[in-house]
Amino acid sequence: MLNFGNNQMTQRVFSGFRPTGKQHIGNYLGAIQNWVSLQDEYDCVYCVVDIHALTTLETTEALREDIYEMVLDWLAAGIDPEKSIVFVQSHVPQVMELHTLFSMVTPLSWLLRVPTFKEKVKMQPHNVNYGLVGYPVLMTADIALYKGEVVPVGEDQLPHLELAREIVRRFNSLYGFVFPEPQAKLTSFPLVLGLDGVQKMSKSCNNHIEIAAPPQEILERVMTAVTDPARRYRSDPGHPDICNIFRLHKFFTPERVDEIARECRRSGIGCVDCKQMLAQSISSALEPFRQRRAAVIAKPNYVAEVLADGANQADAIAKETMEEVKEKMKLLQRAKLPVR
């Protein structure tokens, strides 16, 4: 059992992912590796935001499996339940309660101006639900319920976080200070393009590589990738600065990036060669992950136990926060009557 409350000098990190099943290298480079490193500096709370997922899901048939596979990847990647709280959003229902209270102090105009809301409306015009509009309010409740002070995010999430700061600031001004204003911590690899070289890596675009993928699958996926759009023939000089494969080499083959760039520019290697090298580098880098994943799978009920313990710890924090919130808002507390 973690005991965050006794260390007042350590800031608390909160972050969450929608349950999307097996994670891809975009998830790993953009967030998960950062989460792992943060465990040594902060009190970390990592959440599977399953209620958020309901704003866009048209079926929940695979939801439970997606949660399991994602948490499995987190643990294999190095998220340590001895250092961090790992849990499922809906297992701590106080977040929905705080979301409701925050919705009472959040002007509708704030929500309608969020760029991602406008994008989602275009993507799912047949399903513009209340939850979609209130997504940033629930996100704020996620962070604030655990008094999150630092939120590791990509650049695309900055508008949501700024809105969370505004909601928290408004609540504090109306009722008195309860919540710290969360600060963004940009990841070192904030945007990972997919194999198409155009869109952000995602399953929905089918431009991803799963971190649990075996070597042959990694090779097959990498070989479909778009490279230097200005290079038509093997003899043409390459332009690594505009090639997405080269960007990935910077992470997976850092010791050879200068050589790869030099050889690419002088046509010493072709795009096929470059892709094959990248596939080998990715496979080698992810081999320890695949081994740890297999070890976690071999432990019956381990993922469920981690999530249950994490929910218990998160619940303890949530109860304290909600007592403080209700006191500040002057809500009438339920009387504790003796049992007859």
Side-chain angles (χ1 to χ4, degrees):
M1 174 71 73
L2 301 175
N3 191 1
F4 284 176
N6 288 341
N7 190 351
Q8 299 299 321
M9 300 300 293
T10 304
Q11 288 184 300
R12 181 170 296 165
V13 161
F14 180 92
S15 194
F17 263 15
R18 293 158 61 103
T20 55
K22 291 180 179 178
Q23 304 290 272
H24 53 68
I25 61 174
N27 301 136
Y28 179 74
L29 296 177
I32 298 173
Q33 66 162 349
N34 194 42
W35 286 13
V36 173
S37 64
L38 290 174
Q39 294 178 117
D40 294 326
E41 304 175 52
Y42 299 91
D43 293 334
C44 295
V45 180
Y46 296 135
C47 180
V48 181
V49 290
D50 56 338
I51 302 302
H52 279 294
L54 299 179
T55 61
T56 55
L57 285 181
E58 295 188 0
T59 174
T60 58
E61 195 66 32
L63 184 57
R64 290 173 179 171
E65 181 181 356
D66 284 347
I67 292 171
Y68 172 81
E69 293 289 350
M70 186 167 77
V71 174
L72 181 57
D73 279 351
W74 289 0
L75 298 174
I79 299 299
D80 186 351
E82 295 297 321
K83 296 180 179 180
S84 302
I85 294 176
V86 182
F87 72 107
V88 177
Q89 183 185 32
S90 63
H91 291 179
V92 185
Q94 290 93 335
V95 72
M96 275 81 86
E97 185 178 14
L98 185 56
H99 164 242
T100 300
L101 297 178
F102 276 165
S103 72
M104 306 304 176
V105 301
T106 305
L108 181 60
S109 60
W110 289 7
L111 302 176
L112 295 179
R113 78 186 186 208
V114 176
T116 49
F117 169 67
K118 299 174 183 178
E119 294 169 8
K120 292 292 185 182
V121 169
K122 292 179 181 179
M123 293 172 60
Q124 55 182 72
H126 60 289
N127 185 26
V128 183
N129 53 71
Y130 165 76
L132 192 65
V133 180
Y135 190 107
V137 185
L138 181 57
M139 174 180 162
T140 305
D142 280 324
I143 301 166
L145 185 62
Y146 307 102
K147 303 243 178 131
E149 299 163 278
V150 178
V151 182
V153 292
E155 293 176 350
D156 59 331
Q157 285 293 312
L158 284 177
H160 275 177
L161 187 60
E162 182 53 38
L163 180 51
R165 288 166 52 80
E166 290 180 354
I167 295 171
V168 162
R169 193 179 305 131
R170 183 176 174 86
F171 182 95
N172 288 341
S173 69
L174 289 172
Y175 300 110
F177 181 82
V178 177
F179 305 108
E181 291 184 24
Q183 305 296 318
K185 185 175 180 64
L186 287 175
T187 60
S188 59
F189 206 124
L191 178 62
V192 181
L193 294 179
L195 297 176
D196 55 11
V198 177
Q199 297 172 295
K200 182 179 177 180
M201 183 173 287
S202 70
K203 287 188 174 183
S204 61
C205 294
N206 194 29
N207 62 2
H208 64 290
I209 300 172
E210 291 178 349
I211 55 178
Q216 184 59 35
E217 181 180 331
I218 291 173
L219 176 61
E220 292 171 359
R221 297 289 291 177
V222 170
M223 296 307 292
T224 69
V226 174
T227 53
D228 179 355
R231 191 177 190 185
R232 299 179 60 189
Y233 303 104
R234 171 68 168 73
S235 57
D236 290 342
H239 307 84
D241 293 339
I242 62 172
C243 177
N244 193 39
I245 290 298
F246 182 72
R247 293 191 193 102
L248 292 173
H249 269 301
K250 288 180 179 179
F251 183 82
F252 289 103
T253 324
E255 72 284 354
R256 295 187 62 188
V257 287
D258 291 340
E259 172 196 347
I260 292 169
R262 182 175 62 252
E263 292 301 308
C264 176
R265 290 191 177 97
R266 73 176 190 86
S267 305
I269 58 173
C271 293
V272 170
D273 303 318
C274 195
K275 288 179 181 180
Q276 289 174 338
M277 282 191 287
L278 177 63
Q280 179 58 51
S281 296
I282 294 174
S283 295
S284 297
L286 294 180
E287 177 57 27
F289 166 84
R290 289 191 291 268
Q291 293 177 2
R292 290 193 298 269
R293 196 177 199 274
V296 174
I297 292 174
K299 299 177 182 179
N301 301 319
Y302 181 68
V303 172
E305 291 169 1
V306 166
L307 293 177
D309 185 57
N312 288 338
Q313 296 176 69
D315 183 70
I317 299 172
K319 286 178 178 176
E320 288 186 5
T321 300
M322 290 311 300
E323 285 184 9
E324 188 177 358
V325 166
K326 292 176 181 179
E327 180 62 30
K328 290 286 188 179
M329 296 182 77
K330 308 304 181 187
L331 295 176
L332 182 63
Q333 299 282 29
R334 179 179 177 179
K336 297 179 180 179
L337 299 178
V339 178
R340 295 182 179 178

